[in-house]
Every structure is written in structure tokens, then in C-alpha cells.
Amino acid sequence: MSHSGVSITPQCVELFNELKLGRELRYIIYKLSDDNKQVVVEETSGDKDWEVFRKALLNAKCVDKRGKEGAGPRYAVYDFEYELASGEGQRNKITFLAWSPDDAGVQPKMIYAASKEALKRALNGIAIEVQANDEDEIEYDEVKKQVSKGGR
């Protein structure tokens, strides 16, 4: 349980372990349940196209207390594959991405921020964390810079 009182569903961890061990999944996108009490799996995919993943984050929506729909924060885990600059081959790093767009509502952003550490603790084996608030920050090359140097 997190500081916000949000719990992590078992499916979140099970699918993460599948991604980590099986290499069939490329990414998992997590969201808060509609009642903001649990982190749940929203989407999984084996698609290696970064733009498919990026668009899923950009199109994420949430509804505030007044019923108004807006941009939605999300957590995601991505099995990030990249070429080494030295030409010595490929590397994979399991990357945790905290997506909290600037135009998302204040309440959703606060709940996501308060719940992030609980999810990260439940997912054993994350190599890098990337925090992104603007669509430019989830461009492939921008994320690759962070992943290949160790993240922030």
C-alpha cells in the first residue's frame, strides 16, 4: 500500500514478471482504477514500435471528481532495446516511465505521484526510471539518451 492508500493488483506484478522473463511483452501501461484505490493494468503489447507505445501514453485520459475528462497520467514499463554508440551490439533495459502530462488535472497528478513508489517497489528488476511531463520527453531519441546513460 502506498502513501496515497493505493494498492497494486497481483496482475501488475504477474505481467511485469512475464515481460522481464519471457521477452514476449514489450510494454505494460498501468493506470489507477476509476475509484483511485488500485493500480491496474490498462494495456500490454509485444509491439516493438516505440510510436505505438508513445501514442498510447499521449492518448491516455482520466476523469476528475467533477466528471471532466482530460489528459491522464500513467505508469509504464518498457523493455527498451537500443544499439550501443560504440557499435558493440544491443542492450535491453527494463525502463519504468512515469508519464504525467503538464495538462493533466492536479488531483490525478498528485495521486499518481504519491503512488509511484509503491508500484516501483512491487516490480523487482527495473533498471531505469524516466519521468516525463511533455510529449517531447517521450520521443524515442530523448528516452534513449536517458536509458543509455543510466537515466535520472
Side-chain angles (χ1 to χ4, degrees):
M1 182 111 15
S2 69
H3 293 294
S4 64
V6 171
S7 63
I8 312 302
T9 62
Q11 185 190 31
C12 292
V13 177
E14 290 162 9
L15 286 170
F16 174 76
N17 287 335
E18 230 176 88
L19 177 142
K20 186 171 69 169
L21 302 173
R23 301 287 186 208
E24 288 178 27
L25 290 176
R26 178 60 59 170
Y27 67 82
I28 305 167
I29 297 176
Y30 302 95
K31 71 173 202 153
L32 288 172
S33 59
D34 292 339
D35 62 5
N36 290 329
K37 294 188 189 266
Q38 293 184 311
V39 175
V40 298
V41 173
E42 179 176 48
E43 179 181 337
T44 64
S45 178
D47 195 327
K48 293 184 175 188
D49 185 347
W50 176 263
E51 281 305 307
V52 170
F53 169 70
R54 185 173 177 274
K55 283 183 179 134
L57 291 178
L58 292 174
N59 292 327
K61 302 288 182 215
C62 70
V63 178
D64 67 15
K65 286 191 294 193
R66 295 182 302 271
K68 182 180 172 214
E69 186 178 80
R74 291 294 186 270
Y75 312 112
V77 174
Y78 193 93
D79 186 4
F80 199 92
E81 189 175 282
Y82 61 98
E83 294 286 331
L84 293 174
S86 61
E88 295 175 13
Q90 286 187 331
R91 292 288 186 271
N92 286 66
K93 285 193 181 173
I94 296 177
T95 304
F96 182 88
L97 198 132
W99 169 242
S100 188
D102 288 331
D103 55 348
V106 173
Q107 183 196 21
K109 288 198 291 191
M110 288 173 51
I111 296 170
Y112 272 82
S115 306
K116 178 178 78 170
E117 289 304 317
L119 179 59
K120 280 179 52 187
R121 275 194 307 274
L123 306 178
N124 221 346
I126 293 170
I128 298 292
E129 178 184 343
V130 174
Q131 174 69 44
N133 304 92
D134 183 84
E135 62 182 85
D136 293 345
E137 294 173 328
I138 56 172
E139 291 283 350
Y140 178 84
D141 289 335
E142 186 62 34
V143 175
K144 181 183 171 188
K145 277 188 234 172
Q146 293 183 54
V147 170
S148 63
K149 74 172 184 179
R152 56 172 146 164

